[in-house]
Each structure stands twice: as C-alpha cells, then as structure tokens.
Amino acid sequence: MQLQEAISQRISEALQAVFQVTVDAGQLALQPTRKEFAGSFTFVTFPYTKQVGKGPEQIGQALGEYLKENAKEIRNFNVVKGFLNLEIEEAEWLHLFREIMSNPDYGQGEASGRNVMVEYSSPNTNKPLHLGHLRNNFLGYSVSEILKANGHDVMKVNLVNDRGIHICKSMLAYEKMGNGETPESSGMKGDHLVGKYYVLFDKAYKEQVEVLAAEGMEKEEAKKKAPLMLEAQDMLLKWEQGDEQVVGLWKKMNSWVYAGFDETYRTIGVDFDKYYYESQTYTLGKERVEEGLQKEVFFKKDNGSVWVDLTEEGLDEKLLLRADGTSVYITQDLGTAELKYNDFPYDQSLYVVADEQNYHFQVLKATLKKLGKPYADGIHHLSYGMVDLPSGKMKSREGTVVDADELVQEMIDTARQQTEELGKIEGFTPEQAQELYHTLAMGALKYFLLKVDPKKRMLFNPQESIDFRGNTGPFIQYTHARISAILRKAGEMGISLDATSFADFKNLHETEQEVIIQLVNFPAVVKEAGNLYAPSVIASYAYELAKSYNRFYQEVSIFNETDEQARSFRIALSAMVARFVRESMSLLGIVVPERM
C-alpha cells in the first residue's frame, strides 16, 4: 500500500471514530501540502461540514488530534482554515525510500490490457519537416512512452501524406524546371530539394493569378483558372488513373523525401512501429463513402459530389468526395482509421495534430459513428498549439519556413558555444564532445517544447532553451552528470549503495525529506501525465526533482560527513535521484549524460 493510500485509510477511520461518519478511503482526496505550510499531505475538510455538523477548522483540529494519537504514520499536524496539513513520521519516509531502492519497476504501471495507437509526425512529401513538426514528433513520441509506462500496449504510427494536389504541385514544378536535378547533383537532402520545387510552384502560380486578375478576372476565379493549377489538377487525375509517367515521377521524388525524413528522425531521436501512406488508404476510404451512400447516411449533390450531414451533431455538411471522384483528406482518413483498427484493434487511437484541425477530427469521429464503426468512440484528437519564434509565425509556401534540420543544427552550434564557454568538456575526445553537444541540443529543444501544456500556443526561444540555469533541459542534464560524478567517486572509495549500509540512519535533514517525497510521488506523476496525455507533467516533475536535489547538495555535505551511515544514505539518495531523473527525462525522449 502506498503512503497516500495508508493516510486516506487512517482519515477514513478517524472520521468514523470521532464523528461516526462513514466515508470510503478511496473517496478521500489528499493533495500535496503547499510549500509555505508544514506537512506533506493536506486533507480538505469543507465538504464534510454538513455531515458532521461542525465548522471546517473544528473538524480539522479533531481529526488531527485523533490521527496524531492513533496513526503511526503521523508525526504532527496543523490546521489552516479548512485545510488539515499532516506531517509524516521520519521512519515512514526512510521505510518508503528503502522500498523504492529495492523495486526497479517503481513508477511503472501494471499491464492494463488496453491497446493505444498514437499517430504522429504525419508529414507531407512535398516539403521538409519544420518547427511545428518538431513539437508534433516530440509530443507523439513522449506521450507514447508515458502510455507504455502506464501499462498500455502502444503502437506508434506515422501516416505519410504522399498524395494529393499539394504533392502534384512539387512534381509539376520539378517537371517544368528541374532539369534532371537530384539530391546527389544538388548536394541537398531529398526533402529539401522537393520542398524547393513546392516553393517555386507557388511563386509561379501567384504570378499567373496576378496576370489574370490584371486582365480583369475576379481574384478567386483567377486562382481556379491559373494554368499551373489546372495542370496540377490534371496531374492528380492522371495519378489516380495510374498514368505510368506521373506515377514514376511521384515514386522517384517521394523516395528522395523519405531518405531525407529518415535522416531527420534519426537525428531528433524518434521512431515508429509502422508507416501508413495515404496513397494506400484513399481507395479504402472511397469504399467507406460508397458504404455510407448505400446505408443512406451520406448523400450526393447534383454535381455528383458526396457529402455527410452532421448538423444534428452541431457540426455542418462535410464534403467526402469531389464531383470528379477524387478524394479529400477526410476520405483517406476514413480508410486509414479502418486499416489501423484491422492491424491493431485499439481501445483508443490518438491523433497528434495541431489545433487548426480540431473541426476535422470532430467530423471524422461523427462520420465514423454515422457508419456504425466500432472504433469510432476510441478516436481522440490530441490537439496542440502552434509554435512561434520571436520573429513570428511560419509560412511554408513563402519559403520562410523554420526548417527542422537547420534549427537542430543551430541548437547544436549553440550547445557547443555555451559548453566551451563554461569549460565543461575537459578530457573529452572530439567524438565525445560532438555527442555531448547533440545530447544537450536535443535535451534543450525537446524539454522547451514539452514543458508547456500541449494545448497552449507557445513561443520558442532557442537561446533561452539551452541555458544551464533555470527550467531547462540542460539544467536537469547537468544535475544528472553531477550525481554521476558523485557515484563514480563513491565507487572509487568502495562505498556500498546497499540499504543495509544505513540500516540505523536517523535524523533526516529537511532537504533529504523533500527529495524522498519527490521520489515517492513518481508513480502518481506518471499516472497523471498518462491520464492527461501531457508530457509537461513529467517535465515539471524532472525540474522540481533536480531543484530539490541541488538544494540538498548545497546544504548537506556528502563526502565530508563523518557519520558513515549518513554518508552512505546520502550517496544512495543521490543514486535514486539520478535514476528518476533518467527515467523521467527518458519519458520525454531526452538522454541525460554521465559526464559534462
């Protein structure tokens, strides 16, 4: 039984003994005591005033006195208005610490039997990954790891947007202006090369629109009638019809992009269990549209386009298939949802997609419910806010996209500069130094993007993220490296990390107790992060643990301590902090170095 459960049980017994009020221990909510008050757990008495017939402070005082007298875990208490703050006996904290030491799976949830599929990244094959993709990838990877830690069976998938009008734009521009250029001949990564032609298409297309508008055509009409747009639409039609030349060009350009994406994924440290491709799912989506027509839950308009009416669901009428028979995003999403469920019968399917698509996923879920699909209820849109730089929002079509590869390289260069200035690489080989710069850069980038609640739009500041002080990845990484040095020194001195080496240790320093409390809370933090799909909960925990440890390190001596039991305990405490810093950062996809 965890300490929090034990305290809840004692309070339940106290309510019965003092006031003859029966409340199940599982219904009693405890919260961490606020820092300005003495105590570890706080019980709120306001909800019980009617049942007991007394004021909240009187209830708190009576319960506190009973618990201090009858509960071995309670050392003392104080009441602040309707809040009963409970101080825990030192022996309980030491007992819990020893239990944590002996349990290598502490914080890992038992197998839940639930299947969860997490779809993230979802790039388009007409341009490279950008800053927004980085938040998406880090969020998807981290949520997957957190859900695994909660005992769920998780499958990480990537749906590649490899077909559609936007892909044809890059292909058409390359066909007209490429002159046989390849990644090898240009010295560019494949995804960057294809992205270059997407930008060139947009530039030429806009010029055509301006010319038509200048000739007196309405702007909206000019956008539809511009020759390049008509050619791109024709190319899409040819692709869907299996035109050999168009499909050949599509395969060649996509292969360049995939090689580029793979390189970026390796660099940023994310992976996938399975890839899906829209080119392989849109036909299944068309079958689902046909099924909806037969079930009369979809309808055709006079021009032949197919729609679903979701006005009763508080949404709108939604296009499912164009008049010319070509599919739209929702078409392939209907197919992909079925394919995913057939491959991995999920209880929940998470889509990590920016909040600009909130409406789209409401429509997807509602449409699948109309079709009577058993997996419709499991669909969950893990919506996240956009990422801005101090210079403003990114726009890929103008060619001003904040490129992921360039940003990662900039972060590595910044990590090198900061580390060299601080002189933290003495004794490193050039290869080790390079690995450290990459570790720090990715730690800074991932932590900065994940420490914010996913739903919030955020401003990313590269310089601020890589600071070795404050709420940053490098600060936490440095704390781990510092502890690793302590543990190496302890090993050289032959000091045992076994719990028997401090069997009679007493008199915890307040900073030691604070660190133990943080360690004890780890399972609850992992559970909360899993319930909320929020890596920010883990990031906050890692930072608070590192802060608590650094306070302990400043106030309590380790190697100068003359009492051998106290010294052994402090080294063991340091080892456990390193372990939970490592585990929590690993849940964020962040590596912590042994040396800095």
Side-chain angles (χ1 to χ4, degrees), residues 94-151:
L94 285 165
H95 170 69
L96 283 167
F97 178 70
R98 291 187 179 94
E99 279 193 353
I100 292 169
M101 276 187 76
S102 66
N103 181 2
D105 296 322
Y106 189 76
Q108 298 294 313
E110 292 180 12
S112 67
R114 282 178 66 79
N115 286 349
V116 185
M117 187 174 265
V118 184
E119 178 193 302
Y120 61 98
S121 198
S122 306
N124 296 325
T125 58
N126 62 330
K127 52 191 174 185
L129 303 178
H130 57 62
L131 175 55
H133 283 117
L134 289 179
R135 189 178 199 188
N136 180 303
N137 277 282
F138 299 154
L139 188 55
Y141 181 90
S142 179
V143 165
S144 299
E145 295 305 304
I146 291 165
L147 291 174
K148 284 182 196 173
N150 276 280

Side-chain angles (χ1 to χ4, degrees), residues 348-392:
Q348 198 153 37
S349 179
L350 302 184
Y351 292 78
V352 184
V353 182
D355 56 14
E356 293 176 323
Q357 297 296 326
N358 286 353
Y359 181 78
H360 175 87
F361 285 101
Q362 288 175 321
V363 169
L364 176 63
K365 189 166 187 168
T367 305
L368 286 168
K369 279 189 174 183
K370 284 260 189 198
L371 285 168
K373 297 300 174 187
Y375 44 84
D377 282 328
I379 284 176
H380 179 86
H381 177 204
L382 181 46
S383 171
Y384 64 89
M386 301 298 280
V387 186
D388 297 320
L389 280 166
S391 57

Side-chain angles (χ1 to χ4, degrees), residues 58-220:
Q58 286 175 286
I59 297 171
Q61 191 65 34
L63 289 176
E65 287 169 5
Y66 178 88
L67 289 166
K68 188 177 177 182
E69 192 67 36
N70 296 282
K72 67 180 178 62
E73 298 90 348
I74 305 301
R75 182 174 67 188
N76 212 339
F77 73 96
N78 62 87
V79 180
V80 181
K81 296 181 180 172
F83 299 92
L84 169 61
N85 303 317
L86 300 169
E87 295 178 50
I88 307 302
E89 282 287 359
E90 178 184 273
E92 286 299 314
W93 292 123
L94 285 165
H95 170 69
L96 283 167
F97 178 70
R98 291 187 179 94
E99 279 193 353
I100 292 169
M101 276 187 76
S102 66
N103 181 2
D105 296 322
Y106 189 76
Q108 298 294 313
E110 292 180 12
S112 67
R114 282 178 66 79
N115 286 349
V116 185
M117 187 174 265
V118 184
E119 178 193 302
Y120 61 98
S121 198
S122 306
N124 296 325
T125 58
N126 62 330
K127 52 191 174 185
L129 303 178
H130 57 62
L131 175 55
H133 283 117
L134 289 179
R135 189 178 199 188
N136 180 303
N137 277 282
F138 299 154
L139 188 55
Y141 181 90
S142 179
V143 165
S144 299
E145 295 305 304
I146 291 165
L147 291 174
K148 284 182 196 173
N150 276 280
H152 307 318
D153 194 4
V154 178
M155 182 181 260
K156 299 182 281 189
V157 303
N158 187 349
L159 172 65
V160 182
N161 302 306
D162 65 338
R163 63 161 299 283
I165 192 73
H166 51 299
I167 310 300
C168 291
K169 289 175 182 178
S170 297
M171 289 163 60
L172 186 64
Y174 180 79
E175 198 173 59
K176 288 178 176 295
M177 308 175 224
N179 297 316
E181 187 176 30
T182 66
E184 291 74 28
S185 71
S186 65
M188 291 175 78
K189 270 178 87 227
D191 50 337
H192 287 258
L193 179 63
V194 173
K196 169 181 142 181
Y197 287 98
Y198 184 62
V199 173
L200 287 173
F201 174 93
D202 197 65
K203 186 167 177 281
Y205 165 63
K206 279 184 176 161
E207 287 168 4
Q208 288 185 352
V209 171
E210 292 303 322
V211 168
L212 291 173
E215 290 171 357
M217 192 181 284
E218 287 289 328
K219 192 80 179 265
E220 288 308 307

Side-chain angles (χ1 to χ4, degrees), residues 39 176 219 228 239 245 282 313 339 352 354 410 433 445 558:
K176 288 178 176 295
K219 192 80 179 265
L228 275 172
W239 182 89
Q245 190 178 341
Y282 80 102
E313 286 79 2
L339 202 58
V352 184
E410 183 189 321
L445 187 56
I558 296 179

